[in-house]
Amino acid sequence: MNSSSSNIRHLINECKIVEENCLYTSQAHFVMADKAEFQARLFLIVPSCIAAISGVLTAIGFPAWIGSFAAVSGLVTGLASAFGVDRKAGLHKQAGNILTALRHEARALHESYWREIPHEQFVSEVRRIHDRYNSLIQILETTDNSAFEEGRKKIKAGIFETDFPKS
């Protein structure tokens, strides 16, 4: 059985810190994903539609200068695609999902599993979760302050509070 809870309070607190850090960082990634999806629509779908419509209009006999809209729209779409506007949303969603999974892992460890494992194993698990969070932060896409603040507002609104009663 485990050591008394006073001897592991620091480990439980570390799990809670990782859980909270994951929550805030994942929400910032989800906000960034939403922004990136909007940019993808703006810079890929809209110019593609403009290019198609102006190309058809030019082809059926409208003035040739309308075709310039097709050329400019094609250029915008090509540049946006080359810069990966369409990939950013997926990368941020993936980062948010990975951090959400780690958040749940940290929560389960400090709320339940610690009671069932030996102290040394608990220490090892807390270190693993801490190290995993640090590694993820180094390799995942970065977020910006505005995305963090927007995610923070959602968290502070209480939408991530569980309906399950805490004992």
Side-chain angles (χ1 to χ4, degrees), residues 26-42 85 87-94 143 147 150-151 154:
S26 67
Q27 289 311 301
H29 277 289
F30 288 130
V31 168
M32 294 289 291
D34 290 344
K35 288 179 182 180
E37 283 178 345
F38 175 77
Q39 287 177 344
R41 282 188 215 105
L42 183 66
V85 171
R87 292 185 298 266
K88 288 185 180 185
L91 292 173
H92 283 292
K93 278 185 181 178
Q94 183 181 31
T143 60
E150 193 173 327
K154 288 180 182 179

Side-chain angles (χ1 to χ4, degrees), residues 107-155:
R107 181 207 44 79
L109 184 60
H110 78 77
E111 286 184 1
S112 299
Y113 300 147
W114 71 270
R115 291 176 177 92
E116 307 301 327
I117 59 178
H119 181 76
E120 297 78 24
Q121 184 180 355
F122 185 45
V123 171
S124 177
E125 289 295 315
V126 172
R127 276 192 188 131
R128 182 186 61 77
I129 287 174
H130 175 86
D131 291 344
R132 185 166 168 218
Y133 176 77
N134 285 335
S135 296
L136 288 171
I137 292 305
Q138 291 174 5
I139 63 171
L140 294 175
E141 294 286 314
T142 58
T143 60
D144 59 33
N145 290 338
S146 66
F148 180 83
E149 286 303 320
E150 193 173 327
R152 185 177 179 272
K153 286 178 187 174
K154 288 180 182 179
I155 294 164

Side-chain angles (χ1 to χ4, degrees), residues 35-115:
K35 288 179 182 180
E37 283 178 345
F38 175 77
Q39 287 177 344
R41 282 188 215 105
L42 183 66
F43 292 115
L44 293 174
I45 296 171
V46 172
S48 295
C49 291
I50 291 171
I53 292 168
S54 58
V56 167
L57 292 176
T58 303
I60 61 172
F62 278 74
W65 62 266
I66 293 178
S68 64
F69 288 113
V72 170
S73 296
L75 176 66
V76 169
T77 301
L79 289 173
S81 180
F83 287 124
V85 171
D86 57 332
R87 292 185 298 266
K88 288 185 180 185
L91 292 173
H92 283 292
K93 278 185 181 178
Q94 183 181 31
N97 288 335
I98 289 168
L99 289 165
T100 298
L102 183 59
R103 180 184 105 195
H104 292 303
E105 195 175 334
R107 181 207 44 79
L109 184 60
H110 78 77
E111 286 184 1
S112 299
Y113 300 147
W114 71 270
R115 291 176 177 92

